[in-house]
Amino acid sequence: MTQRVELATVMDRLAVDELITDYAVAVDDGDWAAYRRLFAPDGRADYRSAGGVEGDAVQVAAWLAESLSLFSMRQHLIVNRRVTFGTLDHDTGDTARVQADYVNPMRFVQDGDGSSAPDFVCGGRYAFGLLRTDDGWRLREVVVQEKWRRLPGPRPAPVIN
């Protein structure tokens, strides 16, 4: 590889990383206009494994706004990002796939500000499909695969043999 190609790859990786971070921040802050802007015109998201919906960015943002209003605090942590460029046949380098794990602690709204509410925590894996557009990298696909969740309430006593 030439230095120019290597620099372009590094710049793309940084832009993709920024897009994934912007996604997490938009969801956590409830900035649904910013969330919708992250998507390509034909972009879709699928939250069905977490009990949600599948649809275009407008439909999913509306569902997220309603369902996440139950939580006074959200802190989306997206880690272990694996980025692959040009995954489609005959691609010219304008697509990318990102597989990343997430942990998402949230606090239920209770008595106004939620400061005494119990935590709800879930985790899993994202599969992002990205497309380079005239406006930069955008989400073409977001698929959530929730793997676990911890709900508030008493935990069962450990079994001692």
Side-chain angles (χ1 to χ4, degrees), residues 89-150:
D89 290 337
H90 310 294
D91 180 55
T92 59
D94 291 333
T95 64
R97 305 255 348 133
V98 178
Q99 180 179 309
D101 297 326
Y102 71 89
V103 175
N104 188 11
M106 298 181 280
R107 180 156 291 179
F108 283 109
V109 172
Q110 181 179 355
D111 298 329
D113 70 353
S115 60
S116 64
D119 287 334
F120 170 96
V121 184
C122 61
R125 182 163 288 158
Y126 279 112
F128 295 99
L130 285 70
L131 177 68
R132 186 195 318 266
T133 70
D134 291 339
D135 296 321
W137 287 97
R138 294 292 180 261
L139 298 168
R140 181 167 44 193
E141 175 185 46
V142 177
V143 177
V144 175
Q145 182 59 52
E146 186 177 273
K147 293 183 176 188
W148 60 271
R149 65 173 54 180
R150 187 186 78 214

Side-chain angles (χ1 to χ4, degrees), residues 58-70:
V58 172
Q59 294 166 323
V60 172
W63 172 79
L64 285 168
E66 182 179 340
S67 63
L68 293 180
S69 68
L70 299 172

Side-chain angles (χ1 to χ4, degrees), residues 68-82:
L68 293 180
S69 68
L70 299 172
F71 303 99
S72 62
M73 182 281 300
R74 301 181 291 272
Q75 188 177 26
H76 225 111
L77 306 171
I78 301 179
V79 299
N80 300 334
R81 301 172 191 200
R82 296 171 194 94

